[in-house]
Amino acid sequence: NIDYINQNCKKVYVAFDNDNKGITACKEITAQTGWGYINPPRKLLEEDGTDFADMAKIWGIDSIKEHFNKKLNIK
């Protein structure tokens, strides 16, 4: 599957939860694949959120757009 994705995508990013388990998994997969990563802000944990769905629920969908633009320069 990784080979297929690499052959069919210009750039790949993974997104895991922002808790310690998610960050560890993110580091492992990016080290194995060379893919990029983006995780929700760690401060989201302070409001009991761990993923992008929580981020949208707590701070609104625009917070995700702003985060992606800031981290990946995507508009």
Side-chain angles (χ1 to χ4, degrees):
N1 290 339
I2 291 173
D3 287 338
Y4 178 83
I5 292 169
N6 285 335
Q7 292 171 6
N8 291 284
C9 299
K10 290 181 183 179
K11 183 68 178 168
V12 178
Y13 291 91
V14 293
F16 291 95
D17 290 357
N18 62 358
D19 57 9
N20 289 334
K21 188 175 182 178
I23 290 172
T24 299
C26 188
K27 288 178 181 179
E28 289 175 4
I29 192 73
T30 57
Q32 293 172 11
T33 62
W35 295 345
Y37 69 90
I38 186 164
N39 297 90
R42 293 282 284 184
K43 68 180 181 175
L44 184 62
L45 289 171
E46 297 170 7
E47 299 188 41
D48 296 323
T50 59
D51 60 24
F52 285 110
D54 293 332
M55 190 172 170
K57 182 178 178 184
I58 294 168
W59 296 331
I61 192 72
D62 286 339
S63 68
I64 296 173
K65 293 175 187 177
E66 291 168 11
H67 183 69
F68 271 64
N69 186 38
K70 179 180 174 186
K71 297 292 183 177
L72 304 175
N73 198 26
I74 295 173
K75 295 183 180 189

